Amino acid sequence: MPALRRRGAPAAVPLVLALLTAAGCESAPDAPAKPAAAPSASVGRVCAAPAAGPAKAPEGAVTVDPSVVGDLAAKTRTSPPNTTFWLRPGRHRLAPDRYAQVVPKWGNTYLGAPGAVLDGRGTNQYAFGGTAGAVTIRHLTVQGFAAPHDEGVVNHDSADGWTIEHATIQYNSGAGLMAGDRQRVRASCLRGNGQYGMNAYKAGGRIGGLLVEGNEIVGNNTDDWERRRPGCGCTGGVKFWAVDGADVRGNWVHDNRGAGLWADTNNNDFRIEGNLLEANDGAALIYETSYNAVIRKNTIRRNNWVEGRRYAERGDTFPFATVYVSESGGEPRVPARTDKIEIYRNVLEDNWSGITLWENADRFCNSPANTSSGQCTLLVEDTARCARPGIATAPLYGDCRWKTQRVDIHRNRFVLDKAVVDCTAQCDRMAVLANYGTYPHWSPYKGERVAEAITRRQHNRWHHNVYVGTWTFVVHDPSRVLDSAQWQGLPYRQDAGSTFRTRGGG
């Protein structure tokens, strides 16, 4: 799996009130900042009290005995497809071989009784693997597996049509869960895994019809892979790669090391809505080299305090944001439920900075600076076409690069109290910018071309938002820092119809 990251990048109000204020109710009272609290019942709150599985075996189910080592794998091998397995209470173990695992058959269902745990004991790498589709796992705790970096424990081989419900997948190495096409992940606890809670990646293919709903995704990337492999872009609560069609809703994504949610490289048609994203060390959400998304009605608070502060203390002037849109935009030629990136009716409260729209002028198909190794846009199948002389003229001039375009940011509420965030500068930024193009020598995007395009010609706009606290705005490049009047005035004309209000504490 390639490392995908631009060089040099990082990667309480009650919820009901937050959603009301996000809807543009700017007269709603400001609540004082409070420590993180559990969200309302409308958002995934499952790790502390997971739903209990059936106390008795369903009719026709095969019973699995925890006292017999390898019983689950053995009975799976000897039973036909479409078998339901009921795991008795207790700690279930596989054979003491690193590659021992359960290989389901088509349509199998695995149900855990109250207290049923499948434990890898730090020995087994994978819990459930193979390519059989339509597998269901419910009410089962899976823990203690030692998957390698970039690999996963449950649905290791990214088989299609799996359903994961009311499961607890925790304290494993690698990713707790992989994803296949049409996968459903509901009401589950993805907690304390070494790399990701879930890695939505399918080798050699794309994933579509993915649903991630009502889960608690907490404390992942315990192995701190960005420290071990700087710039790998391989961490966070959930990572999405080449997913075409995803609904991510009603999840509580919190306290992950790195980003909370990260969509990276040729994702398309995402709806990210009704989530509570809070207290993640890095950005709450990164949408990178991808297309067409709706991001709405989320509550986003106290994110990016660790990574944003770290870069500021190093003297880095880049506006590291809580919602980071990197080389991503709306593209009508790529079929989706929308033809833009629309970010609206969200509440962002006391994060390290707000929303950054970014484009790396040196990152395009066939460029050595493209860290999405060997990948090209969804508009160009043959990467080799992106070379001189063709890349210097239409259509390749536009189609060979991922563009941050058609981003519509409106009716959001941005609240910042610098005393809460404990900062004096660089935590108060909105931004739309690019770097000065320099590389490679044959690039047609040198100089300020991309910076001018993202700032003034690619239909990126803020409007009808509410700002509480002091905010600054970075345009074109990191050196242009504006106040709200300059941001709203010529030549940028951003945030028409928006309101700005300061308050105590910043």
Side-chain angles (χ1 to χ4, degrees):
M1 191 180 302
L4 306 175
R5 202 168 188 178
R6 77 169 183 86
R7 293 188 293 177
V13 179
L15 187 63
V16 173
L17 174 60
L19 293 179
L20 286 173
T21 55
C25 304
E26 58 192 75
S27 60
D30 296 320
K34 298 179 181 179
S40 77
S42 62
V43 175
R45 183 183 182 179
V46 294
C47 291
K56 296 181 179 180
E59 185 176 353
V62 173
T63 297
V64 182
D65 188 346
S67 67
V68 180
V69 173
D71 196 39
L72 180 60
K75 287 178 175 175
T76 296
R77 284 193 299 270
T78 58
S79 299
N82 294 299
T83 297
T84 294
F85 299 87
W86 180 70
L87 285 74
R88 290 183 181 275
R91 188 163 65 102
H92 297 254
R93 296 159 293 166
L94 301 175
D97 178 287
R98 63 188 296 190
Y99 297 114
Q101 60 189 284
V102 180
V103 181
K105 295 174 182 175
W106 178 271
N108 281 1
T109 295
Y110 297 87
L111 298 176
V117 176
L118 180 60
D119 192 344
R121 298 172 290 165
T123 299
N124 309 117
Q125 291 189 345
Y126 317 120
F128 294 90
T131 59
V135 171
T136 298
I137 298 172
R138 290 193 178 103
H139 302 293
L140 181 63
T141 295
V142 180
Q143 66 185 33
F145 287 81
H149 180 257
D150 285 342
E151 298 186 38
V153 170
V154 176
N155 198 9
H156 168 260
D157 298 294
S158 301
D160 297 336
W162 284 39
T163 298
I164 315 295
E165 290 183 327
H166 302 294
T168 298
I169 303 173
Q170 63 184 6
Y171 313 136
N172 304 286
S173 298
L177 174 63
M178 300 296 286
D181 196 54
R182 307 180 312 283
Q183 182 157 301
R184 302 287 187 263
V185 185
R186 295 190 181 102
S188 292
C189 172
L190 309 180
R191 173 170 57 189
N193 296 288
Q195 189 177 2
Y196 305 112
M198 183 173 75
N199 186 8
Y201 170 80
K202 188 176 181 70
R206 291 177 67 78
I207 294 170
L210 179 63
L211 176 64
V212 183
E213 181 178 35
N215 305 285
E216 184 172 349
I217 302 163
V218 53
N220 296 288
N221 187 28
T222 59
D223 291 336
D224 198 3
W225 278 100
E226 287 292 340
R227 178 184 58 80
R228 297 170 67 173
R229 296 186 183 181
C232 72
C234 60
T235 60
V238 180
K239 193 74 183 280
F240 304 89
W241 316 76
V243 174
D244 190 5
D247 289 272
V248 182
R249 61 185 181 232
N251 302 285
W252 186 17
V253 184
H254 65 103
D255 295 285
N256 294 284
R257 178 175 282 160
L261 303 174
W262 190 344
D264 190 347
T265 306
N266 287 341
N267 297 280
N268 175 52
D269 194 14
F270 271 54
R271 287 190 176 177
I272 301 171
E273 57 187 342
N275 302 286
L276 175 57
L277 312 175
E278 67 176 337
N280 297 289
D281 284 0
L285 171 63
I286 300 175
Y287 205 71
E288 180 176 4
T289 53
S290 294
Y291 302 88
N292 302 326
V294 173
I295 302 165
R296 64 186 177 190
K297 299 182 181 178
N298 301 286
T299 300
I300 303 171
R301 61 191 182 195
R302 300 187 307 105
N303 296 280
N304 203 29
W305 287 15
V306 174
E307 292 192 5
R309 191 183 317 278
R310 179 186 303 143
Y311 284 99
E313 290 175 349
R314 292 176 184 174
D316 194 324
T317 60
F318 187 86
F320 293 97
T322 287
V323 175
Y324 183 35
V325 180
S326 176
E327 295 98 6
S328 296
E331 176 50 74
R333 292 173 292 173
V334 177
R337 290 168 287 182
T338 182
D339 61 3
K340 57 186 175 180
I341 292 181
E342 190 171 14
I343 303 173
Y344 71 99
R345 295 194 174 187
N346 303 284
V347 171
L348 284 82
E349 181 177 4
D350 292 331
N351 301 286
W352 189 282
S353 287
I355 299 173
T356 286
L357 309 186
W358 161 258
E359 232 180 279
N360 183 345
D362 300 329
R363 185 179 188 181
F364 53 92
C365 303
N366 216 19
S367 168
N370 177 22
T371 51
S372 299
S373 307
Q375 299 292 317
C376 198
T377 69
L378 293 180
L379 302 175
V380 179
E381 292 185 6
D382 182 2
T383 302
R385 294 179 61 208
C386 296
R388 289 282 189 176
I391 194 174
T393 59
L396 292 179
Y397 179 84
D399 292 352
C400 285
R401 66 176 301 107
W402 293 272
K403 289 184 286 189
T404 303
Q405 64 179 8
R406 299 171 60 84
V407 182
D408 189 3
I409 301 167
H410 63 99
R411 301 193 185 281
N412 303 286
R413 183 176 175 89
F414 302 108
V415 180
L416 177 63
D417 187 335
K418 290 183 179 178
V420 172
V421 182
D422 188 21
C423 71
T424 57
Q426 291 190 227
C427 64
D428 57 354
R429 296 184 172 183
M430 298 282 167
V432 52
L433 76 165
N435 58 324
Y436 190 90
T438 62
Y439 183 78
H441 69 87
W442 51 270
S443 169
Y445 311 110
K446 289 184 177 179
E448 298 183 350
R449 295 181 181 184
V450 174
E452 284 293 315
I454 188 176
T455 304
R456 301 175 64 177
R457 295 198 295 273
Q458 291 179 182
H459 307 288
N460 299 312
R461 59 192 296 259
W462 280 252
H463 61 98
H464 295 95
N465 298 295
V466 174
Y467 293 84
V468 179
T470 57
W471 290 87
T472 58
F473 303 86
V474 183
V475 299
H476 189 275
D477 63 76
S479 70
R480 298 190 191 181
V481 182
L482 313 179
D483 61 25
S484 59
Q486 294 168 317
W487 173 247
Q488 289 186 297
L490 292 172
Y492 306 111
R493 294 183 174 178
Q494 291 288 3
D495 263 319
S498 297
T499 61
F500 298 83
R501 178 159 55 89
T502 60
R503 70 175 187 185

